[in-house]
Amino acid sequence: MRFDPERAAIRFGCGLSPSLPAPKSAEAMLARLAGPDTMAESFPIPGFQAASAIALNRRDLRKARKTAKTKAEREAALAGLKESRVATRDNAAEWLGHTLLRRALTEDGFRERLAAFWTDHFTAFQLGGPLKFAQIAYAEDAIRPHVAGRFSEMLRAAATHPLMLRFLDQSRSAGPNSRAAKKRERIGGLNENLARELLELHTLGVDGPYTQQDVRQLAELLTGLSYGAKTGFQFRPGLAEPGAKTVLSVDYGGGKPRLDDIFAALDDLARHEETARHIARKLAVHFVSDAPDEGLVSAMAARFTATDGDLAQVYAAMLDHPAAWAAGPGNVKRPMDFIGSGLRALDIAPAHMPTGRYRAMRTMFFTPLELMGQRWGRPEGPDGWPEDDPDWITPQRLAARLQWGMTVPFRLKKVLPDPRDFVETALGAAAPEPVRFAARAAETRAEGIGLVLAAPAFQRM
Amino acid sequence: MSSAPLSRRLFLTRSMALGCSLAASPLVTPVTMASAPWDNRLVVIILRGGLDGLDAVRPYGAPEFAPYRRTLLGGVEPGERDLDGFFALHPALDPLMGLWRAGELGFAHAVSTPYRDKRSHFDGQDLLETGTPALGPARERDGWLNRMLQALPGLHAETAYAIGRSDLLVTRGAAEVANWSPDAALPLSPQAERLLDLVMHDDPLFRDAAQEAIALSRAGAGAMEMEAPADSAGMMSAMQDSMRAGRSSGGLEEVARFAAERLRAETRIAAYSIGGFDTHSRQERSLSGGLDALAQNILTLRAELGDVWGKTAVVAMTEFGRTARANGTDGTDHGTGGVMIFAGGALKGGRVVADWPGLAEADLYERRDLRPTRDLRAHAGWIMRHLFGLEAGLIERTVFPGLDLGADPGLVL
């Protein structure tokens, strides 16, 4: 099997659309990816610093409430806090609306899928509070610009991002013999959270050739990575552990603490053979199959190593391999893929989306995503969302998918397409006969649409 | 997908086709259950993130304890909530002191799975749930609870429940386990159900999950009573209602309530997970949330189980413990030995079972972690041996391959 436009749109893009063409070739997909990020322009989401301004403002308001001397001051602070909470909510509604519209309206679907993949690979998030949806903003500046660049660049961007430093406790870690530790008793030591996940999740993989000693040494090397709430990333030499560190038998630093020593270690990890293999396999599992063809993985890993982690080249190796185009059943769509491709098949336009209305966004998207098992922007842990198909298709999670398909399209678009046409636009030439039959036999249009969206032929990629 | 869950699901569908609800099916009446060889109940709670056993159950009697952990204690005197003169309870577990005094709460300390050295949450949890000495290929993993079920006679569709939104490895496998969440529902009109069956038919993963969802929803295994809607319009409105309700339900307390409701009926084994134990920083605050959730969950189980609590064993276990010393950010990093928590009227609580290794630096595992002196699978194994009358050989070969059960810790009354 080789390139097929419909399969390309479904497996590597955001699905089929009645009004937007499927990609014509792998070269065309990669050319789009190399071009401008037009969806980010049409449906903007602010970067992390803009998003964290709300958090800063919230902090000031809390302080103002505590120190208020008059009733009026107190009430003003309380009103401000309420406004701030509403703003967090409304922003999230807009960002989710824009994320979904990007999927519904893009001609560069591979980019949206890659952005989701890499955001998940470099999972960082905040569970609650004003930064509850910070992952979305983080992805916008740490991940999205790098999806077609070098892996080492994305690794640097993610590993030094304020949200990552916060999420994996790095910004609070200090060398036991650092200047900061000597001056103040409270700051006294190391936290190995980021170091461990860098090795286990971001680069080598859990079966990689590292030991607890490497984790420890890398944790010491990473000390100094920090950020300011207003200024963003900062390297603070005062937190850094003095002396050389040895990670995977290579020595780093030794002189005055320098950010470049950390970058040198990250670059070496980025180009490690085990990293190449880990990334290649993870991409193949995500896009092609839970049990990918070994030849496909090897070809991608080899390209990764040969090009020093040029991701566009790794994708080219994937799209060039016959195993990538094997006939279905492909992977199960994750809930965001399912909803995004559903909206795309329904030809949803910005006017259909209740982007500015939080409550409507909650009942139609936030809650259903949670019930399907993919709480938006907040996975369960630093390993991100599961890849195994059976994880997603439990009875309770599948019930949420079926309910969404039966009810939400009608709420979004009062004039639904004829299910007999919809089955063709949503599934393409490969539409199975039983699904065509169900679309004809449904009692109502909404039910017919729901049945098509429920079909494994639509739920899989 | 193996064929065993299929046959159960076929059974579910057939019982629906006969027009009787699951609960009323003659095959699963309480009478049948009473004659089953086991009337006891087991609840397995997976604590995700690596619970700090040394903080949950504090060995304040060890001279190294306070110096290692001063920054984690939040001003609480070591020894407050004393258990036995050596161990004391974390403040957030205070609501469980009554259970301790009643002999219905106990701990096994300095325990772990066979997992060592890499200290990865994800591999650690998988090993905890597979119950094997090492991890095989990801796609071939099945859970130890499931392997136990495969060995038991008289199983039916509701004998075991995996509860919550996420898939649990500990119950995954060839034996029949119901997967459901208290906030889930799938009300379908008869016509929609027929057509859904048609579109799902050729894909076993989807077909089986859909059939089970329909059956469990109809059996009322959820927060809402779900009558099958007569037509498409009724179905849409029932679905809208259930999606709206889904927003506010499905929390941990509801999980305990749901588990208790099932356990009072035909269910004998329930499993679910509680997250939030990965306390790398500000542990004093971050751990309290998780422990409080666990305490409330256990108390809800006891309250809702009523008389059945007397036949119940609750076992809570985690992938690994944490470092003996606090780290530089008022938390702890991934470690090895930890604590296992057990509660229930069927158990002999009021004690901390441990072959205590000591906390002096030379006694620690790799000079950093509490040294595990017993495989936590042995404790779980002995509980199942007594609760369900399992053969020791079955436990050591099939449920927990490679395990040496060792001496009976006598956890079951």
Side-chain angles (χ1 to χ4, degrees):
Chain A
M1 266 304 238
R2 287 284 167 178
F3 182 90
D4 169 78
E6 287 191 346
R7 185 155 294 151
I10 293 168
R11 187 167 292 172
F12 299 100
C14 297
L16 297 173
S17 153
S19 56
L20 298 162
K24 289 191 175 57
S25 65
E27 293 69 35
M29 290 168 69
L30 294 166
R32 285 268 186 203
L33 191 60
D37 184 353
T38 52
M39 282 295 114
E41 283 163 34
S42 308
F43 302 106
I45 292 172
F48 181 78
Q49 280 315 115
S52 68
I54 283 195
L56 276 175
N57 175 249
R58 183 95 50 103
R59 204 175 63 184
D60 293 344
L61 287 164
R62 287 215 181 94
K63 210 183 285 171
R65 184 190 55 192
K66 274 191 194 144
T67 56
K69 292 197 179 66
T70 65
K71 196 177 168 210
E73 274 176 17
R74 197 181 130 73
E75 272 167 10
L78 283 174
L81 278 170
K82 188 174 173 205
E83 218 171 276
S84 159
R85 274 190 288 272
V86 170
T88 301
R89 235 176 52 181
D90 290 351
N91 281 342
E94 184 178 298
W95 301 350
L96 178 53
H98 283 188
T99 304
L100 291 170
L101 284 168
R102 288 175 180 181
R103 284 175 178 261
L105 299 171
T106 186
E107 290 190 60
D108 186 10
F110 194 31
R111 185 192 301 270
E112 300 306 325
R113 294 285 309 289
L114 287 166
F117 170 83
W118 287 112
T119 302
D120 193 42
H121 179 77
F122 289 109
T123 289
F125 61 94
Q126 175 86 24
L127 215 47
L131 287 175
K132 193 166 159 186
F133 296 98
Q135 180 180 74
I136 313 307
Y138 150 82
E140 214 59 17
D141 42 42
I143 304 297
R144 208 169 161 96
H146 302 291
V147 294
R150 248 174 232 294
F151 178 70
S152 57
E153 287 160 16
M154 197 178 338
L155 176 63
R156 281 188 188 198
T160 58
H161 193 280
L163 187 68
M164 183 67 83
L165 297 176
R166 184 187 169 104
F167 175 58
L168 292 179
D169 306 298
Q170 185 59 44
S171 55
R172 296 169 51 81
S173 180
N177 303 299
S178 62
R179 271 188 283 142
K182 284 185 180 145
K183 264 194 295 193
R184 281 179 295 167
E185 212 187 318
R186 283 291 293 174
I187 297 181
L190 215 54
N191 184 307
E192 50 185 56
N193 206 2
L194 176 64
R196 179 182 307 282
E197 303 305 13
L198 266 175
L199 295 171
E200 178 185 331
L201 298 176
H202 302 157
T203 61
L204 305 175
V206 71
D207 298 321
Y210 65 94
T211 63
Q212 174 61 34
Q213 188 60 17
D214 291 313
V215 172
R216 189 80 191 171
Q217 292 278 303
L218 182 58
E220 289 188 4
L221 180 63
L222 294 178
T223 50
L225 296 182
S226 184
Y227 68 93
K230 288 199 178 113
T231 49
F233 173 72
Q234 269 180 6
F235 181 67
R236 298 190 208 268
L239 296 173
E241 176 70 3
K245 290 92 184 173
T246 311
V247 182
L248 303 181
S249 312
V250 181
D251 293 340
Y252 299 96
K256 218 167 145 241
R258 294 181 321 151
L259 181 57
D260 281 345
D261 296 328
I262 299 175
F263 282 158
L266 292 181
D267 288 352
D268 285 348
L269 287 170
R271 66 166 64 94
H272 197 286
E273 228 171 66
E274 288 296 321
T275 302
R277 202 126 189 110
H278 179 215
I279 298 299
R281 174 170 297 277
K282 208 170 158 181
L283 278 163
V285 164
H286 184 79
F287 283 97
V288 181
S289 163
D290 286 0
D293 179 85
E294 284 307 320
L296 171 66
V297 175
S298 296
M300 293 168 72
R303 191 75 65 89
F304 188 108
T305 300
T307 61
D308 199 16
D310 181 343
L311 293 173
Q313 288 288 332
V314 178
Y315 310 148
M318 173 166 71
L319 298 178
D320 200 33
H321 199 285
W325 302 97
N331 280 333
V332 169
K333 290 175 181 173
R334 290 177 178 182
M336 274 299 281
D337 298 320
F338 163 57
I339 289 182
S341 59
L343 298 178
R344 187 174 175 87
L346 286 161
D347 215 10
I348 288 295
H352 295 125
M353 287 287 280
T355 306
R357 290 181 289 128
Y358 170 73
R359 268 173 216 289
M361 287 297 289
R362 186 177 63 187
T363 40
M364 284 190 250
F365 301 105
F366 284 97
T367 304
L369 279 167
E370 203 163 339
L371 299 180
M372 293 175 206
Q374 197 177 23
R375 186 173 57 179
W376 190 59
R378 289 172 296 151
E380 303 263 311
D383 58 336
W385 301 113
E387 288 286 358
D388 265 9
D389 292 345
D391 279 350
W392 296 109
I393 305 304
T394 62
Q396 57 274 46
R397 288 178 167 182
L398 178 61
R401 290 189 186 221
L402 302 186
Q403 291 195 340
W404 189 89
M406 294 271 180
T407 59
V408 174
F410 178 67
R411 290 187 63 189
L412 288 172
K413 210 174 172 180
K414 294 298 169 206
V415 184
L416 286 173
D418 187 314
R420 288 168 297 185
D421 302 330
F422 185 71
V423 72
E424 309 299 328
T425 53
L427 303 178
E433 196 43 48
V435 186
R436 289 200 169 102
F437 175 84
R440 286 197 299 273
E443 278 176 28
T444 59
R445 281 194 174 208
E447 188 182 315
I449 302 291
L451 286 164
V452 174
L453 294 175
F458 186 79
Q459 298 276 345
R460 290 184 181 272
M461 303 198 274
Chain B
M1 270 278 146
S2 59
S3 59
L6 237 179
S7 63
R8 168 179 55 107
R9 283 161 182 149
L10 276 178
F11 153 72
L12 284 173
T13 355
R14 288 205 189 107
S15 73
M16 282 167 5
L18 289 169
C20 55
S21 84
L22 193 62
S25 157
L27 291 171
V28 291
T29 52
V31 182
T32 317
M33 280 321 301
S35 65
W38 41 308
D39 192 29
N40 289 325
R41 272 66 163 182
L42 176 65
V43 180
V44 175
I45 306 176
I46 304 290
L47 306 174
R48 296 195 193 281
L51 165 68
D52 184 9
L54 291 175
D55 206 0
V57 181
R58 302 170 167 179
Y60 74 94
E64 300 86 358
F65 177 73
Y68 281 173
R69 298 182 148 245
R70 193 160 288 124
T71 53
L72 309 180
L73 294 174
V76 174
E77 280 299 310
E80 265 180 53
R81 289 171 205 80
D82 172 58
L83 295 175
D84 59 1
F86 185 81
F87 292 104
L89 214 50
H90 187 283
L93 293 178
D94 189 66
L96 298 183
M97 277 309 270
L99 282 187
W100 169 266
R101 282 188 287 265
E104 294 181 343
L105 172 74
F107 306 93
H109 221 315
V111 295
S112 78
T113 68
Y115 186 61
R116 291 292 182 279
D117 299 338
K118 272 272 168 89
R119 299 179 178 85
S120 154
H121 288 301
F122 320 110
D123 279 359
Q125 286 171 27
D126 276 10
L127 204 74
L128 173 71
E129 296 183 66
T130 57
T132 48
L135 285 175
R139 299 182 58 78
E140 291 162 23
R141 293 173 194 170
D142 58 1
W144 57 264
L145 263 181
N146 194 286
R147 289 197 305 276
M148 184 197 74
L149 286 164
Q150 291 173 40
L152 289 170
L155 277 192
H156 61 79
E158 291 216 30
T159 298
Y161 252 97
I163 305 170
R165 281 280 161 191
S166 55
D167 193 32
L168 277 181
L169 176 53
V170 72
T171 50
R172 200 185 298 162
E176 313 171 345
V177 174
N179 264 281
W180 202 238
S181 177
D183 55 352
L186 187 59
L188 290 176
S189 71
Q191 165 79 343
E193 191 182 320
R194 265 194 299 279
L195 293 175
L196 192 66
D197 191 45
L198 185 68
V199 306
M200 299 289 190
H201 189 267
D202 294 334
D203 193 315
L205 174 65
F206 281 86
R207 178 187 57 210
D208 295 352
Q211 288 179 354
E212 186 172 338
I214 293 166
L216 292 174
S217 179
R218 189 149 305 157
M224 278 175 301
E225 209 51 52
M226 279 289 164
E227 292 273 316
D231 59 10
S232 195
M235 174 170 82
M236 297 301 162
S237 94
M239 283 188 176
Q240 301 258 20
D241 290 350
S242 103
M243 280 178 84
R244 255 192 294 276
R247 197 176 67 235
S248 51
S249 58
L252 266 180
E253 196 174 320
E254 221 151 323
V255 165
R257 231 180 271 285
F258 177 69
E261 181 200 314
R262 297 285 114 190
L263 289 163
R264 279 199 315 266
E266 295 88 0
T267 298
R268 292 296 171 269
I269 291 168
Y272 48 92
S273 66
I274 301 179
F277 292 98
D278 191 21
T279 50
H280 283 279
S281 70
R282 297 181 189 151
Q283 178 163 319
E284 187 203 336
R285 201 177 59 189
S286 53
L287 183 56
S288 297
L291 289 179
D292 182 60
L294 175 64
Q296 294 311 325
N297 192 276
I298 290 175
L299 291 176
T300 304
L301 274 177
R302 186 183 64 156
E304 299 287 320
L305 279 171
D307 293 346
V308 173
W309 175 253
K311 305 175 195 169
T312 299
V314 182
V315 180
M317 48 177 74
T318 190
E319 68 260 33
F320 45 60
R322 309 186 71 84
T323 47
R325 299 177 191 84
N327 66 13
T329 56
D330 300 345
T332 46
D333 290 319
H334 302 184
T336 310
V339 78
M340 177 172 145
I341 299 166
F342 59 90
L347 296 176
K348 207 185 293 173
R351 65 221 169 96
V352 182
V353 180
D355 175 8
W356 186 247
L359 287 183
E361 174 149 337
D363 296 328
L364 298 177
Y365 180 73
E366 292 191 328
R367 308 182 88 81
R368 75 177 245 147
D369 307 334
L370 176 64
R371 178 181 299 279
T373 53
R374 187 125 197 220
D375 193 326
L376 64 79
R377 298 179 302 159
H379 290 304
W382 277 111
I383 288 177
M384 289 190 285
R385 171 142 171 65
H386 290 300
L387 221 51
F388 302 138
L390 297 188
E391 294 294 330
L394 178 78
I395 294 170
E396 292 176 332
R397 279 192 304 273
T398 307
V399 182
F400 295 127
L403 172 72
D404 175 7
L405 268 171
D408 184 356
L411 302 181
V412 180
L413 280 175

